[in-house]
């Protein structure tokens, strides 16, 4: 379509994000050596979410693209969160 | 390129078959799916018939218990994963979606061909399970843990096959979503789009968002079988009910992957044969989106007796009753569309009316299962089998045949024999009712599903049911033979034999390679008579 602006992301940004992702990967391996008890899974999931947030915003251009796409992704995340919450509700009330 | 010839005549390769299996034309891909699905359907029907013949008398009739377990498993895998999940979107969605929105093809034609190839690959892998190792799978199509990682039968190819098939479904859904967002003809705003594309849009989102969940779940079973991880094995701290959660988080929305396009088809047929605009267009669109959305939160109604917490059972029952509302809105709108219309009682409308009756029985017996107290009584009985065959076969199946008889002139440029089509329809309906009605009664009185044997008191109902299966198969044979011979020798069809208003009736029958010489400009709503 004609009325679209293409945002050009400098290579440097991608390299920084890549380094960030690799660093986070090592951190998530690192935290498994620390005894966190029941927070082990939570820690792994938080780090993983951080990484997917980086990939979605920069590599998949959500940060620079049309707002409607961000709304779509947000809605999907909400549906997914609701599904997870309902599943865990079964376990909580058992 | 000559724009006058139909897409059948445009050939890139000398070898005939390559023009099909390497074609990126959405119409040829739709037909590839149609022929693959038809081939599997014949196998699935034969397996179903074999089960009904086994059940014609108590005790062993024609097969051993273990064979029966394998047969119902394979029947389910074929019918669900290979036929109704791709079903209407892959066949009629591919053939008609671009034409109905005024486009030359889907957004990603090569990806479209890839999804057919993935479908074939998945099917071949799943079929291998029948001929390998320690005998065919016997878990049922649901692959419930812990049995699916404990049974000695050949599970891995079946599970991996289903996993691969998921990608085909995801790619089709993605393709349709992008096509609908980006390729509508100028002037076709969202609320001027016909209802079949709308249903494909909602379906596309379900395919895209839920299929990965079953994919990862199936991989978890593979990991469990090969590496003893312990996701679902209580001995290792796992939870078998978790498998059921994960499986139905996909497989309930999958029911809407099947039924929404069926509803979309009915929403096309009824206005055309009533020569009247659809009653409450916006309500039909809204109900489509609502069904797709609420459908994500009802999966637990498959698990009332599995040991879930009572709070969860209560919530799932409530949500299940809520999802019935938009379905009922649609039924009301279809009936109101026919009210005071100039009804043109042709074969596609027969099927649409058949859909209305059978789907309503299926839907209302679904409420018996959605209510917790009654579900506990009929859970895992023949009642459930009757219910979902009314929805899947009586609903999606009749809509598929309706679509076949509605769009046949467009797809082949030929007309079929209407009197034989009506004979086929009536034979089908009579056979269908004889086959599945007694199963409601049998289930109410406690005949369990998935057993090759039963108590003497259930004999009468089973005889009627097995006899109905034979009538049903005769009906299917009449329908299929009539369509196949008509595709070869039928008389030539006009552009718009039913006086439809949507865009597919403005292009040639069969369409040219690029559908439209010039992309149309849309000014009116889809059903303005
Ligand atoms: Cu369900």
């Amino acid at each position: 379509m004609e009325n679209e602006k293409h945002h050009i992301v400098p290579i440097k940004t991608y390299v920084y994000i890549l380094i960030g992702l690799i660093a986070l990967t090592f951190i998530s391996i690192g935290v498994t050596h620390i005894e966190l008890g029941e927070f082990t899974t939570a820690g792994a999931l938080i780090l993983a979410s951080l990484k997917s947030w980086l990939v979605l915003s920069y590599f998949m251009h959500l940060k620079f693209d049309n707002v409607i796409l961000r709304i779509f992704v947000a809605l999907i995340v909400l549906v997914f969160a609701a599904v997870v919450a309902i599943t865990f509700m079964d376990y909580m009330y058992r | 390129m000559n724009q006058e010839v139909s897409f059948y005549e445009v050939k890139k390769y000398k070898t005939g078959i390559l023009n099909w299996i390497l074609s990126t034309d959405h119409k040829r891909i739709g037909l590839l799916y149609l022929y693959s699905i038809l081939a599997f359907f014949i196998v699935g029907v034969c397996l179903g018939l074999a089960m009904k013949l086994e059940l014609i008398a108590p005790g062993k009739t024609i097969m051993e218990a273990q064979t029966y377990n394998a047969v119902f498993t394979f029947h389910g895998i074929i019918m669900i994963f290979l036929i109704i999940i791709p079903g209407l979107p892959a066949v009629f969605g591919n053939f008609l979606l671009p034409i109905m929105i005024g486009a030359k093809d889907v957004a990603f034609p090569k990806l479209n061909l890839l999804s057919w190839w993935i479908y074939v690959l998945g099917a071949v892998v799943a079929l291998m399970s029948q001929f390998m190792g320690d005998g065919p799978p016997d878990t049922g199509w649901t692959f419930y843990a812990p049995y699916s990682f404990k049974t000695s039968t050949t599970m891995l190819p079946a599970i991996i096959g289903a996993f691969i098939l998921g990608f085909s479904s995801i790619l089709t859904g993605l393709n349709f979503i992008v096509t609908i967002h980006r390729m509508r003809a100028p002037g076709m705003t969202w609320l001027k789009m016909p209802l079949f594309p709308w249903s494909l849009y909602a379906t596309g989102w379900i395919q895209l968002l839920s299929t990965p969940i079953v994919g990862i779940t199936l991989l978890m079973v593979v990991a469990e079988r090969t590496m003893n991880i312990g996701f679902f094995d209580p001995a290792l701290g796992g939870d078998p009910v978790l498998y059921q959660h994960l499986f139905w988080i996909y497989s309930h929305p999958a029911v809407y992957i099947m039924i929404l396009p069926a509803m979309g088809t009915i929403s096309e047929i009824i206005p055309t044969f009533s020569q009247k605009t659809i009653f409450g267009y916006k309500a039909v669109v809204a109900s489509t989106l609502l069904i797709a959305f609420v459908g994500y939160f009802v999966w637990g109604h498959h698990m009332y007796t599995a040991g879930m917490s009572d709070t969860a059972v209560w919530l799932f029952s409530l949500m299940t009753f809520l999802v019935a509302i938009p379905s009922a809105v649609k039924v009301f709108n279809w009936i109101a569309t026919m009210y005071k219309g100039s009804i043109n009682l042709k074969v596609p409308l027969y099927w649409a009316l058949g859909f209305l009756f059978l789907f309503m029985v299926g839907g209302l017996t679904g409420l018996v299962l959605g209510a917790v107290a009654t579900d506990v009584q009929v859970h895992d009985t023949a009642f459930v089998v009757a219910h979902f065959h009314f929805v899947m076969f009586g609903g999606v199946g009749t809509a598929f045949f309706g679509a076949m008889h509605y769009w046949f002139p467009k797809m082949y440029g030929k007309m079929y024999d209407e009197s034989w089509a009506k004979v086929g329809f009536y034979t089908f309906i009579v056979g269908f009712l004889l086959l599945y009605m007694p199963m409601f009664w049998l289930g109410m009185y406690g005949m369990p599903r998935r057993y090759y044997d039963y108590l003497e008191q259930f004999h009468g109902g089973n005889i009627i049911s097995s006899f109905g299966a034979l009538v049903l198969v005769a009906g299917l044979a009449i329908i299929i033979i009539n369509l196949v011979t008509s595709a070869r020798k039928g008389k030539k069809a006009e552009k718009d034999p039913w006086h439809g208003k949507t865009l597919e009736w403005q292009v040639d029958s069969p369409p040219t390679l690029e559908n439209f010489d010039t992309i149309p400009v849309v000014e009116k709503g889809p059903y303005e008579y």
Side-chain angles (χ1 to χ4, degrees), chain A residues 91 94, chain B residues 144-150 224 228-244 306:
Chain A
Y91 288 90
R94 246 191 232 170
Chain B
Y144 265 15
Y147 188 59
S148 56
F149 58 84
K150 292 226 147 67
E224 196 90 350
N228 265 322
I229 302 271
F231 294 121
F232 310 124
D233 188 352
L236 298 171
D239 177 17
V241 179
L242 178 65
Y243 176 83
Q244 296 191 21

